[in-house]
Amino acid sequence: MEREPQDFGRVLSSMCTKPHPDARAAADRFLASNPGDPTTYPAVADLEREVVATLGEITGLSDPHGYVASGGTEANLQAVRAARNRSDADAPNVVAPESVHFSFRKAADVLGVELRLAPVDADRRADPAAVRRLADPDTALVVGVAGTTEYGRVDPIPDLAAVAEEVGALVHVDAAWGGFALPFTDRDWNFADAPVDTMTIDPHKLGRAPVPAGGFLAREQAVVDGLAVDTPYLDSASQASLTGTRSGAGVAGARAALDALWPDGYRRNYERGLANAEWLADALESRGYDVIEPVLPLVAADVPAATVESLRAEGWRVSPTGAGELRVVCMPHVTREMLEAFVADLDAA
Ligand SMILES: *Cc1c(COP(=O)(O)O)cnc(C)c1O
């Protein structure tokens, strides 16, 4: 096979990025190890425990439980599953802001729970009062997003946790994308900032691990145990992950990326990404476009669809938000030079 993978040189709207070189090498070595069978593959199981420990450090949890999932979708689904299984409501529901990732729609469908979406505030963050209006004693889970996929907004997690407490629900924070940037901000988003029960944080996005490496974290082991099923033909007695055979490459790659980058490398990525986002926001604003100010390294702006189309024709990989704005995610592979070339093409468009 002679085909080449997509080059990252013009990729501007993806939340994937170039893995760290150490992560690539580690992924290659552990390609055939299955962390889903830890008794047969103890070396990769050790690496997974180390990944979970470091993800705990990043998210303010001293004794973390959880595992390396296939991505944010699986981790979010597992959070909904854990909450549903714990609930004694006949028809449990999940309340989330409408800015929540579409993986929750899949989770609700697969798990047969009702997903209630609350309107967001003027800054596109969850509105705790609106969430409260939709929550009731049958609410199994309240979801907050720490770094929304479309606009990079951080929901008021402590206020959402207070709503959850009022109705006796669990609290899940989806930091799939934002989790590797937020430790370097003064936001309240993590396990130490609020009584959060579970969290999604994906090493394969800003963590620079190879795909597939998502993170599902829980404050209590009981939550993970609640997801476990018996595994009659494996040596290990039970399995909490949704998938069976899993990627040793994702686990080992995540371990190597964390080792190389936490915390200083991630801090540099964040600072550089945010500076690039602010630069791009200024460049777009000075050209007369309406810009949604970046909070994290992500810019959205009201650029006409026809202009975006001609940028795509130039090879720029840009995808719009649901509302049609141009959206640029300043991932680690996105350099200032790339953004300058992009703006030059925008001027020419
Ligand atoms: C990307 C993303 C997800 C989904 O993660 P996958 O790894 O693509 O499954 C979930 N939540 C948020 C906030 C995301 O940005």
Side-chain angles (χ1 to χ4, degrees):
M1 194 200 73
E2 283 164 26
R3 264 167 291 175
E4 288 298 315
Q6 173 68 43
D7 181 88
F8 277 101
R10 294 204 156 197
V11 172
L12 291 183
S13 294
S14 178
M15 288 185 158
C16 294
T17 195
K18 281 185 203 164
H20 188 278
D22 294 358
R24 224 179 245 280
D28 189 48
R29 293 179 59 221
F30 282 84
L31 203 52
S33 295
N34 173 16
D37 181 3
T39 315
T40 306
Y41 302 98
V44 77
D46 283 346
L47 293 179
E48 182 166 29
R49 275 188 287 276
E50 291 163 18
V51 170
V52 170
T54 306
L55 292 179
E57 227 181 275
I58 294 172
T59 59
L61 188 59
S62 55
D63 183 21
H65 307 283
Y67 69 94
V68 177
S70 55
T73 299
E74 179 184 341
N76 286 340
L77 190 145
Q78 291 280 73
V80 174
R81 182 174 161 224
R84 182 201 66 175
N85 291 355
R86 167 185 171 276
S87 166
D88 49 23
D90 288 335
N93 66 75
V94 171
V95 184
E98 62 190 358
S99 54
V100 84
H101 187 263
F102 58 76
S103 48
F104 284 94
R105 297 216 302 270
K106 298 182 187 175
D109 187 25
V110 170
L111 296 166
V113 303
E114 182 194 354
L115 179 61
R116 299 181 178 175
L117 296 179
V120 292
D121 69 12
D123 189 35
R124 299 173 171 79
R125 301 188 336 143
D127 172 1
V131 170
R132 178 65 190 89
R133 280 194 291 277
L134 294 183
D136 61 23
D138 290 349
T139 301
L141 185 69
V142 171
V143 179
V145 191
T148 58
T149 312
E150 293 206 298
Y151 302 108
R153 266 30 191 180
V154 183
D155 288 339
I157 303 300
D159 296 342
L160 294 175
V163 171
E165 197 192 344
E166 254 187 82
V167 296
L170 293 183
V171 181
H172 177 70
V173 172
D174 183 1
W177 176 70
F180 287 88
L182 287 161
F184 314 111
T185 69
D186 59 4
R187 305 269 162 179
D188 285 340
W189 67 286
N190 71 21
F191 286 102
D193 297 322
V196 171
D197 295 289
T198 54
M199 186 174 305
T200 294
I201 172 171
D202 277 2
H204 71 201
K205 289 185 169 173
L206 282 170
R208 295 196 60 196
V211 180
F216 173 73
L217 296 181
R219 189 186 291 274
E220 305 290 344
Q221 179 60 36
V223 169
V224 180
D225 290 343
L227 296 169
V229 299
D230 294 342
T231 51
Y233 71 84
L234 293 184
D235 253 351
S236 20
S238 75
Q239 191 176 79
S241 58
L242 191 64
T243 55
T245 300
R246 285 189 286 140
S247 170
V251 169
R255 176 72 182 86
L258 291 168
D259 201 30
L261 295 167
W262 170 253
D264 297 335
Y266 291 130
R267 180 192 299 277
R268 280 194 296 274
N269 276 342
Y270 163 69
E271 288 171 352
R272 203 170 61 97
L274 188 66
N276 280 337
E278 286 169 347
W279 179 88
L280 179 64
D282 286 347
L284 294 170
E285 229 156 37
S286 71
R287 284 161 175 78
Y289 298 110
D290 281 341
V291 173
I292 294 152
E293 282 303 318
V295 171
L296 290 174
L298 194 164
V299 188
D302 219 347
V303 176
T307 311
V308 173
E309 237 359 272
S310 55
L311 290 164
R312 289 163 76 97
E314 293 295 324
W316 295 104
R317 303 291 168 171
V318 281
S319 53
T321 63
E325 294 107 347
L326 168 77
R327 171 173 161 277
V328 173
V329 190
C330 293
M331 294 298 288
H333 68 268
V334 175
T335 61
R336 185 66 59 90
E337 293 69 35
M338 274 170 75
L339 294 175
E340 284 168 354
F342 177 72
V343 170
D345 281 357
L346 177 70
D347 286 339

